Amino acid sequence: MPIALTADHRDLADVVAQLVARSADREVWPELVAAGLLGVHLPEESGGAGAGLMELAVIAESTAAGLLPGRWLPSVLASYALARLAPQHPALAELADGASGALVLGGLVAEAGDGTVRLSGVSAPVLGLPGADHALVRAEGAEGAEWFLISGGALAAGVREEDGIDLTRPIGRLDGGALAPGSAQRVAAGECAEIELAVAALFAAEAAGLCGWAVRTGVEYAKTRVQFDRPIGSFQAIQHKAALMLVRSEVAATAAWDAARAEQQSPAQQRLAAAQATLNATHPAVEVALELVTLLGGIGFTWEHDAHRYWRRALSLSALAGTEAETAAWLGALALTEQRDFSFLDPEALPELRAEVGAVLDRVQALGIPATTSASRVTGEPDNDEAEASWQRVRPGAATDLLADAGLIAPHYPEPYGRGAGVQEQAVIADEFAKRGLRQPSTVIGEWALPTLLEHGTTEQQKRFVTPTLRGEIFWCQLFSEPGAGSDLASLRTKATKVEGGWRLQGQKVWTSGAHEAQWGICLARSDASAAKHRGISYFLVDLASPGVEVRPLKQATGRHEFNEVFLDDVFVPDECLVGEAGHGWRLAATTLANERLQMGGRLTHGGAHRLRAVIESSDHAASTDVALAALGRCTARENALSALNLRAILARLGGMEIGAEISVAKVFNASAQRAGTFDLLAVIGPAGALTAGGHAIDHLGLPAVLFGGGTTEIQLNVIAQRVLGLPREGR
């Protein structure tokens, strides 16, 4: 999914892509001007279209995908910044009409004297500076930041042209000492978070465009390049490489989009969004470009192939954006007191629903449950980190009855079990829970089992199981994985034999979460041994109190035992507990597994920023403060990317867009984020990682539950490579 979500933005991206495609044949600057692409973001009185940062980000992504040469990016950055500092400045009309610009942000000092201002020092490298008509310059003055505009020949006198790694754009430094006194026109004073945001957002948007091109180029090559008598795209190593490139590309586009949408938010929100965009898009683009070169092999390392040009631009953007460590530490310091806002609804939206839901939740709190702990009591779990990483489940009680009767346990379910709530309604309900400090209850495995029953079960099955589950009277487990059938679930060997009135199950299941507490399990068993691998499998509901069911706990590396082995020894299952038709269970399992991946993709339980924040605030860490803050910044950036991925998926649904890859992309990125987060945490606490106190090492030991649950990362990469990117299966 590109940055553009709306139809208008997608049309804009298409127009720009067509224009950029012509840039290889001739100079397109006049066409950029004629199309209004230099002033799309400027006010109409300055010759612009009055659009905003999101439109610029959409354009930047398309221009980078086509590797548009020249000065578009530095010119719009200069005019965007000038419009924020001096909205009526006459140079804005010139920039909209084709004058080129550059934005100089650091390295210079302003000194007043004799009625004029002198600039001293030499700037960092600046895109588009050599030959620019105007340069907007930030310098450090006696009272802080000061902004100056330098133009024409006066500007040229101070420009030192440099050889840039990006072959498509000029770059240079501004030498303040070479400028004539009085050549710098003072425009404004003070810091401006919007300018920082625009730079980060448009760099990230270009990075997303580079990543998207790299994915498309690599996949096309993998489909056609033949080695060992088959396309290299059929090799799993190439598939995983391409799938990871797609994951990084999707995250980059999401990060740029999140930064662009922050334009109308507070300065703190803008700075949070800017830093995460740099960490999630601009810096990772270098790695994606390198992955493309290694996928292409020798041809990708030649001067003739365009890969090195995209790689060079990614390097240039990453270098100019500032170091990863400094950006991460800066974000970490900000994250100690600020959190990114991912709300998207008007607080006054759907007032009648808010009032109705609020009344129910107020009754829940009137039962005497304090707001700070009511969420965990509703779900029956202690309000601590261990509960956060464990099961948050609905248990019987007055609070649960109130929520179930109001359709608030699973509001997206159809009536009478839920409220048939769409995305907007669900968001309003979640907001009302959050306002009261209440965590929305979960039926845990029921969230995967019940949608299958609602879609494929009989009316009798739905009546028998759905409402009791929502009331916490039934807790489920999932009897899918087996010792020889984990990721390759279709290889399962549990046997279902037809007998009078039902079926007899014989087999063993493993890694069954919560089976020691569950009353019922959803079970896959092979009911026709003569059928093909994915056929002949049936979907059963198994009463775990049945004779022949034995549950044995599996103690994990953490010392806990949420998982179990379950032995089925001639267990009788009546016909009314077969879901759907015999032999068609694989199709039903797909519904269950899809719901599992959706849930897993939206949760982050290990290596979370909250853990690092607590460690830093307690000063209980071995690493230096800067190193600890950088670790917190990286964790915060990853969590913000996950939240932005989820928000984009919600908005895409609201806009009627189809979503598909996003579920697997979120699952892969979620797993990698939690893995990286635990290592960041261990690096910060140092020797304390040898102790169980604080639970930080235990948090790391619990990672496999995330890395395996809902399908391993490697299986998800196969899904992305084959079903999303269209790479051939191995051996075909």
Side-chain angles (χ1 to χ4, degrees):
M1 188 184 293
I3 292 174
L5 283 184
T6 68
D8 287 345
H9 286 163
R10 292 195 296 272
D11 290 343
L12 174 61
D14 290 341
V15 169
V16 175
Q18 294 171 21
L19 190 156
V20 173
R22 301 195 291 271
S23 66
D25 302 323
R26 62 180 183 275
E27 172 62 47
V28 296
W29 188 259
E31 293 188 57
L32 295 175
V33 176
L37 298 185
L38 288 173
V40 63
H41 57 294
L42 297 178
E44 294 181 6
E45 54 269 27
S46 297
L53 190 54
M54 187 64 75
E55 287 74 21
L56 283 180
V58 169
I59 296 169
E61 183 183 32
S62 289
T63 59
L67 206 69
L68 177 72
R71 305 172 181 276
W72 180 83
L73 178 64
S75 294
V76 298
L77 283 174
S79 60
Y80 184 95
L82 182 59
R84 267 56 194 170
L85 298 169
Q88 307 299 321
H89 201 286
L92 291 174
E94 297 177 30
L95 289 164
D97 199 35
S100 61
L103 181 61
V104 183
L105 289 179
L108 298 176
V109 175
E111 300 172 347
D114 300 328
T116 62
V117 174
R118 284 182 175 273
L119 298 183
S120 61
V122 179
S123 75
V126 178
L127 277 181
L129 185 60
D133 298 307
H134 301 284
L136 182 64
V137 180
R138 181 198 179 280
E140 197 65 33
E143 302 296 328
E146 295 190 45
W147 298 86
F148 302 89
L149 190 69
I150 311 173
S151 305
L155 172 62
V159 173
R160 296 182 187 175
E161 186 167 3
E162 303 275 7
D163 290 331
I165 194 71
D166 182 354
L167 302 175
T168 67
R169 295 196 284 220
I171 193 169
R173 298 175 186 268
L174 184 63
D175 183 351
L179 296 170
S183 60
Q185 174 195 354
R186 191 175 185 278
V187 171
E191 301 291 356
C192 181
E194 282 186 89
I195 296 175
E196 300 170 26
L197 177 70
V199 173
L202 296 189
F203 273 32
E206 279 215 348
L210 300 175
C211 291
W213 180 88
V215 171
R216 292 188 293 274
T217 301
V219 169
E220 182 180 355
Y221 182 81
K223 289 179 179 178
T224 57
R225 173 64 169 167
V226 174
Q227 290 283 276
F228 305 104
D229 300 321
R230 51 187 169 135
I232 65 170
S234 66
F235 303 145
Q236 188 176 71
I238 298 297
Q239 291 191 355
H240 285 192
K241 181 189 287 286
L244 284 171
M245 288 171 64
L246 176 68
V247 171
R248 295 188 182 107
S249 178
E250 290 284 319
V251 172
T254 299
W257 170 83
D258 183 51
R261 79 179 184 92
E263 183 180 31
Q264 303 302 322
Q265 297 179 327
S266 70
Q269 289 295 311
Q270 291 172 350
R271 293 189 168 102
L272 284 168
Q276 72 80 22
T278 299
L279 294 173
N280 288 318
T282 308
H283 290 311
V286 178
E287 186 174 359
V288 174
L290 178 58
E291 287 295 289
L292 171 64
V293 172
T294 59
L295 189 157
L296 294 172
I299 187 63
F301 193 49
T302 63
W303 190 262
E304 287 77 11
H305 199 285
D306 283 341
H308 78 97
R309 301 176 186 274
Y310 285 82
W311 189 10
R312 284 168 171 268
R313 181 169 289 191
L315 279 168
S316 178
L317 289 170
S318 179
L320 294 171
T323 68
E324 188 270 350
E326 289 175 341
T327 304
W330 190 87
L331 176 58
L334 190 58
L336 289 175
T337 57
E338 302 286 345
Q339 289 186 332
R340 186 81 179 96
D341 179 10
F342 289 99
S343 60
F344 66 97
L345 286 176
D346 182 334
E348 305 303 320
L350 304 178
E352 294 181 0
L353 176 62
R354 284 187 182 277
E356 181 184 349
V357 172
V360 175
L361 299 183
D362 288 343
R363 290 174 62 194
V364 168
Q365 290 189 309
L367 294 173
I369 304 173
T372 55
T373 58
S374 57
S376 54
R377 294 192 186 182
V378 168
T379 57
E381 293 289 345
D383 194 13
N384 55 31
D385 284 341
E386 183 173 340
E388 198 67 37
S390 182
W391 306 117
Q392 304 168 20
R393 48 178 286 201
V394 174
R395 297 181 188 272
T400 297
D401 288 344
L402 284 172
L403 295 173
D405 290 343
L408 295 178
I409 300 291
H412 56 295
Y413 287 1
E415 295 181 349
Y417 309 111
R419 306 175 64 93
V423 174
Q424 187 177 25
E425 289 80 6
Q426 291 179 56
V428 167
I429 292 169
D431 190 42
E432 290 300 311
F433 270 89
K435 283 180 180 178
R436 293 162 176 80
L438 289 164
R439 187 168 57 213
Q440 288 185 274
S442 170
T443 59
V444 195
I445 306 298
E447 293 185 6
W448 310 331
L450 297 191
T452 306
L453 286 177
L454 291 171
E455 183 172 346
H456 302 286
T458 64
T459 302
E460 290 72 20
Q461 288 170 338
Q462 293 168 2
K463 290 180 179 179
R464 180 179 179 183
F465 293 106
V466 177
T467 296
T469 301
L470 296 176
R471 289 183 176 276
E473 297 162 6
I474 295 177
F475 183 56
W476 292 86
C477 67
Q478 181 174 284
L479 302 168
F480 280 17
S481 296
E482 299 183 4
S487 296
D488 185 14
L489 183 58
S491 295
L492 63 88
R493 295 186 178 182
T494 295
K495 184 179 180 181
T497 303
K498 187 71 179 78
V499 297
E500 183 177 355
W503 302 77
R504 291 281 179 182
L505 303 189
Q506 188 75 35
Q508 178 186 355
K509 299 293 182 177
V510 74
W511 305 120
T512 307
S513 305
H516 57 297
E517 297 182 285
Q519 293 82 37
W520 284 83
I522 48 177
C523 179
L524 292 181
R526 192 167 296 283
S527 55
D528 184 354
S530 65
K533 184 176 179 180
H534 288 81
R535 300 181 184 276
I537 294 175
S538 296
Y539 192 109
F540 297 97
L541 308 178
V542 178
D543 184 348
L544 296 188
S546 301
V549 176
E550 181 182 0
V551 177
R552 299 180 188 173
L554 285 171
K555 193 171 184 179
Q556 297 106 247
T558 60
R560 302 169 185 153
H561 53 84
E562 292 96 346
F563 302 105
N564 306 269
E565 293 179 287
V566 179
F567 296 87
L568 304 171
D569 185 10
D570 198 32
V571 175
F572 178 72
V573 177
D575 283 330
E576 58 266 26
C577 288
L578 169 69
V579 183
E581 299 179 43
H584 292 259
W586 187 256
R587 180 168 61 92
L588 277 66
T591 301
T592 301
L593 293 173
N595 279 279
E596 179 179 22
R597 284 194 293 271
L598 180 61
Q599 293 296 325
M600 296 293 287
R603 296 169 58 192
L604 197 153
T605 54
H606 297 272
H610 69 286
R611 281 184 173 273
L612 264 168
R613 190 180 298 112
V615 166
I616 292 172
E617 289 174 343
S618 68
S619 299
D620 185 22
H621 54 86
S624 69
T625 299
D626 284 347
V627 170
L629 288 175
L632 175 58
R634 289 191 295 271
C635 288
T636 300
R638 290 188 289 262
E639 290 190 0
N640 286 353
L642 282 166
S643 295
L645 280 167
N646 290 337
L647 178 58
R648 271 171 65 84
I650 290 171
L651 296 180
R653 289 188 184 100
L654 285 173
M657 292 179 65
E658 293 288 333
I659 66 166
E662 289 79 3
I663 292 175
S664 290
V665 164
K667 172 64 172 70
V668 170
F669 187 69
N670 184 301
S672 68
Q674 297 194 59
R675 178 175 181 148
T678 66
F679 279 108
D680 273 328
L681 179 60
L682 291 175
V684 168
I685 63 176
L691 307 176
T692 59
H696 303 313
I698 299 298
D699 180 62
H700 174 77
L701 291 173
L703 264 178
V706 173
L707 302 181
F708 301 160
T712 66
T713 297
E714 290 74 19
I715 293 300
Q716 293 301 318
L717 292 175
N718 288 346
V719 170
I720 293 171
Q722 295 167 12
R723 299 183 186 176
V724 179
L725 297 177
L727 292 173
R729 293 179 181 273
E730 192 166 4
R732 295 187 183 180

